[in-house]
Amino acid sequence: MSTTITNHNRFHPLKFALWLGIASMIMLFAALTSAYIIRKAQGNWVDFRMPAIFWFDTVVIIISSITMQWTVRAFRRFQVNACKIALTITLLLGIIFLIGQYRGWSAMEEMGIYINGNPSGSFVYVISGVHAAHIVGGLVIMLSLLLKMVTSTFNPNRLVRVELMSTYWHFVDVLWIYLFIFFQINIF
Amino acid sequence: MSDPVINPPLNPVYTGDTTHRQDSTGEIHDHGHHEHHKDNFITKYIFSQDHKMIAKQFLITGMFWALVGGMLSVIFRVQLGFPNQAFPILETIFGKWAPGGIISPDFYYMLITMHGTILVFFVLTAGLSGTFANLLIPLQIGARDMASPFLNMLSYWFFFMASVVMLASFFLPQGASDVGWTAYPPLSAVHEASPGSGAGMDFWLIGMALFIFSSLLGGLNYITTVLNLRTKGMSMSKMPLTIWALLITAVLGLLSFPVLLGAAILLIFDRTIGTSFYLDNIFINGHALPNDGGNAILYQHLFWFLGHPEVYIVILPAFGLVSEVLATNARKPIFGYRAMILSLLAIAIIAFVVWAHHMFVTGLNPFVASVFVFLTLLVAVPSAIKVFNWIATVWQGNIKFAPAMLFAIGFVSMFISGGLTGIFLGNSALDIELHDTYFVVAHFHIVMGISAFFGMFAGVYHWFPKMYGRLMNNTLGYIHFWVTMVGAYMIFWPMHYMGLAGVPRRYYSFDAFQSFNMFGGLNEFITMAAMLVFFAQLLFLINFFYSIFYGRKLTNENPWQSNTLEWTTPIKTGHGNWPGDLPTVYRWPYDYSKNGDEYIPQTTPLREGETGGH
């Protein structure tokens, strides 16, 4: 039995806590998507195609994951400016994603799929909305991280924070890809 | 992973009894000015980040809610025991809610709804897990504090905000939520469905959302702390069962509360935006609602996917506390340590696959129901293992009947009584007869409500000296125990007979049912017993608060001669818990009456030739 403190701490406690948080977020979306499946099985279900803008958004968020990874790499190599640029691009891509989601919802309304209409549309609005709320939360933390980087001198100890940020961002990225594929498969 | 050169050391760094430690980002603050940092009133008692203070905050808030929740039950028991009898004092106190001194039906439904919500979530989840996870996890695993004291503080304050919102809902013009603690749609989804379906339900949802957030933050911290911050030598197989139970409870909460949040999100959209997740063809006051295509049963699936793990979230911490108290006071090692852990794990896993046994009469496919019957009855196996082990632990022990020990033994009694009726209810065929009768009320109050309360009382009596450095009064403790023990059976035992006769739960009065007239006297008896038990709890409150200030002072840091690490800290435990280095653990926590020693603390090295553990 390994019994030294260092062994127990190989994994940073906060990173571990973030993974636990991710587990609980997975449960939230698992609940919502299983509710979708159960409800769909009962019929009275309006089929529609996801607006094309959601494809664009999927690409945007995948790119933002790449730039997030670039941020972490730059940080590890003490490339301060590259790090700031990469994080700024990630932030902007996140905002573009949100705008894209909003336009996607508008496109759905133009198609006559309203949030208070048939549950097939309501589920898309609500699930993508809850996902967007997770993006907003991530962007707020990303902004505070960026402001710290810009206003104060480079502090290598902040690596943990950057890594936490990137884990979370990759998670919401993968989560969107899952939801997007789920909608594509299930909507009709 | 990360580069070790630029990553700071990952375990909190402490020097002496000053509190230099990592902040939430992993940065270490070790600057000179922290040396002279003194806690002021606000940082010490209000926005404290010390896990022991947060535990006390959870406990006292939980006690407040237990008092409120208990009071509500006494008030609605008055209606059930003495229907149509006027008590003018009720009108004096509650005004329009009790016109002519008789509780109005709307008020009655508000009372039962809030009684359930408060007791299940605010007392037996936040009050129980919140208190003992915070108090015991760092102390029993040998950590300075939680992994993130800041998140821990936030966890309490989210709970506090949830409490404020829930309390405020009582003072709304239309009253608090009155749709039942399970908040089933359509009652909970349509504003006009009942007085409490409007603003009361909004407050309920906001309060519950805050509460869920609080328990998620707490749970994250508990799990991370247990898995990452154990002291040298404290392997998982040397952890006290309290820690195992609290760890597994936290995992359950972390995985099940988000599902309730999902259900609540859909409910909120139904209420505000006009979506139709749960609503279909609803007519209200003679006109049809536009909602079409929803499914109310969907909510039940989502709710009970949390709801069933939730009852284990309530009971598992009590399992842990009771195991610890029984072994310590029987002066015997816990019987079947590994079996205890495995049965905890088994219960936690089964918890996620039994939810539909709450829904046998919702039109569930009988084949599916039979699967859930099987899975539900499986819970009896690990539960029976635990009961057997508790009895084997005290068997032929040198039992010290401290109040904590009495409550622990009472817990085992209650858990058996309530668990047996669970086997009745787990059968889908019997459930057709018993569903929503007083049999169910009796079952879950005994197995979950009273049992969990007994575990909590055992914990409070046992760890009070650790919390306040003083002892509680034993005589008051004994009176409290016996009145509660006998009284609780007096309340709930007769309900089994009523339930078997078909008396439905949640009804305001039984005037319209001649067949239930025969239970009039029994209902009166139950109400009197409920009042008696309620007043016995006041004795406990008096004992608790009196002892904080005037209890007998502790002279010995280990008053129960216990093995676990929390009793190696000084009587007045500072922030950081141990004044010097963290203790090193050499043995499991249950070396009682071993080789002629009555107890051997975990910090005692193994003697030559001695084998550690089980």
Side-chain angles (χ1 to χ4, degrees):
Chain A
M1 196 71 214
S2 62
T3 51
T4 59
I5 292 174
T6 43
N7 276 350
H8 289 307
N9 284 295
R10 219 179 297 138
F11 205 47
H12 191 286
L14 286 176
K15 287 184 185 164
F16 186 81
L18 178 62
W19 279 106
L20 292 174
I22 286 174
S24 77
M25 289 178 241
I26 289 173
M27 288 305 288
L28 173 62
F29 285 91
L32 291 173
T33 46
S34 11
Y36 180 107
I37 292 168
I38 293 173
R39 174 57 195 80
K40 190 191 173 196
Q42 288 171 339
N44 186 9
W45 189 256
V46 173
D47 294 336
F48 66 97
R49 256 180 199 289
M50 293 280 282
I53 183 90
F54 286 115
W55 283 97
F56 167 76
D57 250 6
T58 309
V59 175
V60 168
I61 198 146
I62 290 172
I63 297 173
S64 82
S65 245
I66 296 168
T67 57
M68 187 71 234
Q69 201 51 35
W70 176 25
T71 313
V72 178
R73 263 170 71 101
F75 197 98
R76 287 215 184 104
R77 296 174 180 186
F78 301 98
Q79 295 162 343
V80 184
N81 283 327
C83 183
K84 284 177 198 165
I85 292 167
L87 195 62
T88 310
I89 296 173
T90 315
L91 186 78
L92 291 176
L93 286 172
I95 294 168
I96 292 171
F97 175 83
L98 284 179
I99 295 169
Q101 293 296 82
Y102 177 76
R103 295 195 52 180
W105 297 327
S106 310
M108 279 169 66
E109 288 205 334
E110 278 161 28
M111 290 161 62
I113 304 294
Y114 297 103
I115 186 165
N116 54 2
N118 187 277
S120 71
S122 312
F123 268 113
V124 175
Y125 281 106
V126 170
I127 295 175
S128 60
V130 174
H131 175 263
H134 284 75
I135 295 278
V136 171
L139 288 177
V140 169
I141 296 166
M142 202 185 287
L143 185 64
S144 79
L145 193 64
L146 187 62
L147 288 177
K148 263 242 166 78
M149 268 188 204
V150 173
T151 53
S152 59
T153 51
F154 185 78
N155 179 358
N157 282 337
R158 223 168 271 142
L159 177 65
V160 178
R161 206 180 280 194
V162 175
E163 285 178 340
L164 288 169
M165 184 71 239
S166 93
T167 307
Y168 180 79
W169 196 253
H170 293 323
F171 165 68
V172 288
D173 177 8
V174 172
L175 180 62
W176 172 252
I177 294 170
Y178 159 70
L179 292 175
F180 185 62
I181 294 171
F182 179 85
F183 290 142
Q184 289 295 335
I185 293 172
N186 275 300
I187 214 89
F188 53 88
Chain B
M1 274 280 312
S2 50
D3 185 340
V5 179
I6 53 173
N7 226 7
L10 295 177
N11 53 312
V13 173
Y14 287 84
T15 50
D17 58 355
T18 57
T19 55
H20 301 176
R21 49 181 179 72
Q22 280 173 290
D23 73 4
S24 55
T25 59
E27 292 163 35
I28 292 174
H29 295 266
D30 205 353
H31 313 299
H33 64 268
H34 275 221
E35 299 277 355
H36 311 291
H37 175 77
K38 273 262 182 279
D39 280 336
N40 58 35
F41 180 81
I42 292 194
T43 58
K44 185 168 180 197
Y45 291 107
I46 300 177
F47 294 107
S48 172
Q49 298 194 20
D50 182 351
H51 70 101
K52 298 182 291 297
M53 185 55 67
I54 294 171
K56 291 176 198 172
Q57 291 173 331
F58 267 109
L59 179 59
I60 290 174
T61 315
M63 281 161 69
F64 166 78
W65 276 119
L67 192 67
V68 173
M71 189 102 75
L72 300 183
S73 70
V74 169
I75 302 167
F76 70 67
R77 272 313 315 181
V78 169
Q79 162 60 24
L80 290 169
F82 307 95
N84 303 326
Q85 201 168 317
F87 296 92
I89 184 158
L90 290 176
E91 189 172 18
T92 318
I93 300 172
F94 299 112
K96 65 168 180 168
W97 295 108
I102 296 173
I103 288 161
S104 73
D106 290 333
F107 188 43
Y108 175 84
Y109 286 113
M110 181 173 118
L111 291 172
I112 58 167
T113 300
M114 296 308 282
H115 169 77
T117 305
I118 288 169
L119 265 302
V120 170
F121 293 112
F122 285 53
V123 181
L124 293 177
T125 304
L128 181 57
S129 278
T131 303
F132 289 102
N134 273 305
L135 179 71
L136 294 179
I137 288 177
L139 281 172
Q140 288 196 331
I141 65 169
R144 299 286 183 196
D145 205 318
M146 287 288 178
S148 171
F150 178 71
L151 286 187
N152 209 25
M153 177 183 82
L154 278 188
S155 161
Y156 174 73
W157 286 101
F158 269 104
F159 173 50
F160 185 83
M161 284 191 288
S163 298
V164 170
V165 173
M166 220 38 116
L167 194 63
S169 75
F170 282 106
F171 301 100
L172 293 168
Q174 296 289 311
S177 169
D178 61 359
V179 303
W181 78 276
T182 51
Y184 283 171
L187 268 185
S188 62
V190 181
H191 284 264
E192 313 86 64
S194 76
S197 297
M201 193 61 211
D202 289 330
F203 274 56
W204 190 91
L205 283 167
I206 296 167
M208 283 307 297
L210 291 168
F211 172 84
I212 292 170
F213 215 67
S214 151
S215 63
L216 289 177
L217 287 178
L220 282 182
N221 236 328
Y222 307 152
I223 301 170
T224 310
T225 308
V226 172
L227 294 183
N228 289 283
L229 297 181
R230 300 192 306 280
T231 188
K232 194 162 183 265
M234 179 63 84
S235 61
M236 295 296 274
S237 58
K238 290 195 179 71
M239 290 199 313
L241 288 173
T242 35
I243 302 302
W244 270 107
L246 291 164
L247 170 68
I248 294 168
T249 306
V251 173
L252 276 179
L254 200 71
L255 297 180
S256 62
F257 271 114
V259 180
L260 178 66
L261 188 63
I265 288 171
L266 299 183
L267 187 57
I268 289 168
F269 274 94
D270 270 8
R271 290 173 60 78
T272 55
I273 310 279
T275 53
S276 308
F277 292 114
Y278 304 131
L279 296 174
D280 188 24
N281 289 326
I282 305 282
F283 286 82
I284 196 150
N285 298 332
H287 64 90
L289 294 183
N291 305 73
D292 173 56
N295 178 5
I297 303 295
L298 177 61
Y299 176 88
Q300 295 195 22
H301 279 293
L302 292 172
F303 181 86
W304 287 112
F305 191 86
L306 154 91
H308 199 80
E310 168 64 23
V311 307
Y312 296 129
I313 290 170
V314 164
I315 202 71
L316 290 191
F319 284 175
L321 299 171
V322 162
S323 302
E324 186 67 26
V325 170
L326 283 178
T328 305
N329 287 290
R331 318 305 293 157
K332 273 185 66 193
I334 194 85
F335 186 89
Y337 174 78
R338 276 177 199 280
M340 286 303 224
I341 296 168
L342 289 175
S343 54
L344 282 173
L345 285 169
I347 291 174
I349 292 164
I350 300 172
F352 284 106
V353 289
V354 296
W355 78 91
H357 71 213
H358 298 271
M359 301 166 58
F360 283 147
V361 297
T362 58
L364 199 67
N365 179 327
F367 173 73
V368 175
S370 69
V371 174
F372 278 99
V373 169
F374 171 72
L375 292 167
T376 302
L377 297 186
L378 269 187
V379 183
V381 178
S383 307
I385 291 173
K386 297 200 80 75
V387 168
F388 179 84
N389 287 354
W390 286 319
I391 294 171
T393 301
V394 293
W395 182 256
Q396 294 193 328
N398 178 17
I399 298 177
K400 300 193 167 161
F401 289 103
M405 183 62 167
L406 288 179
F407 273 105
I409 296 171
F411 166 91
V412 178
S413 161
M414 286 291 171
F415 187 69
I416 296 172
S417 310
L420 286 174
T421 51
I423 298 173
F424 291 55
L425 289 167
N427 283 290
S428 56
L430 283 175
D431 192 60
I432 294 170
E433 157 77 8
L434 296 174
H435 188 84
D436 263 356
T437 66
Y438 270 86
F439 194 87
V440 178
V441 176
H443 161 70
F444 73 75
H445 274 93
I446 291 179
V447 79
M448 176 178 108
I450 304 295
S451 295
F453 256 104
F454 273 33
M456 193 166 168
F457 285 135
V460 172
Y461 280 107
H462 192 77
W463 279 283
F464 186 87
K466 189 70 259 164
M467 284 191 264
Y468 295 102
R470 290 170 187 269
L471 290 159
M472 287 176 78
N473 181 299
N474 269 0
T475 314
L476 282 176
Y478 291 136
I479 299 172
H480 173 221
F481 170 75
W482 285 110
V483 177
T484 310
M485 179 80 187
V486 175
Y489 271 127
M490 283 177 3
I491 297 170
F492 295 111
W493 199 269
M495 287 188 187
H496 292 102
Y497 301 107
M498 293 167 60
L500 285 170
V503 181
R505 65 190 280 212
R506 291 195 164 131
Y507 277 37
Y508 166 71
S509 101
F510 299 99
D511 293 354
F513 307 93
Q514 292 301 317
S515 52
F516 299 144
N517 281 348
M518 57 187 281
F519 293 115
L522 205 53
N523 264 325
E524 257 179 62
F525 173 80
I526 292 172
T527 299
M528 306 292 260
M531 288 178 177
L532 177 73
V533 171
F534 181 76
F535 286 112
Q537 308 318 305
L538 298 184
L539 275 187
F540 168 75
L541 289 180
I542 291 166
N543 192 358
F544 183 88
F545 287 105
Y546 181 85
S547 302
I548 290 178
F549 300 105
Y550 307 106
R552 196 150 50 83
K553 269 194 179 162
L554 216 53
T555 50
N556 172 355
E557 63 190 29
N558 190 356
W560 315 117
Q561 303 188 313
S562 181
N563 289 342
T564 38
L565 291 182
E566 74 272 30
W567 306 108
T568 63
T569 58
I571 294 173
K572 274 208 176 304
T573 316
H575 197 171
N577 295 343
W578 283 269
D581 291 338
L582 289 173
T584 305
V585 167
Y586 297 96
R587 51 179 76 234
W588 77 322
Y590 300 107
D591 271 342
Y592 291 106
S593 307
K594 187 185 187 189
N595 304 338
D597 285 314
E598 199 182 323
Y599 70 106
I600 314 173
Q602 285 189 278
T603 49
T604 312
L606 292 177
R607 271 160 238 145
E608 232 171 285
E610 188 185 2
T611 48
H614 317 212

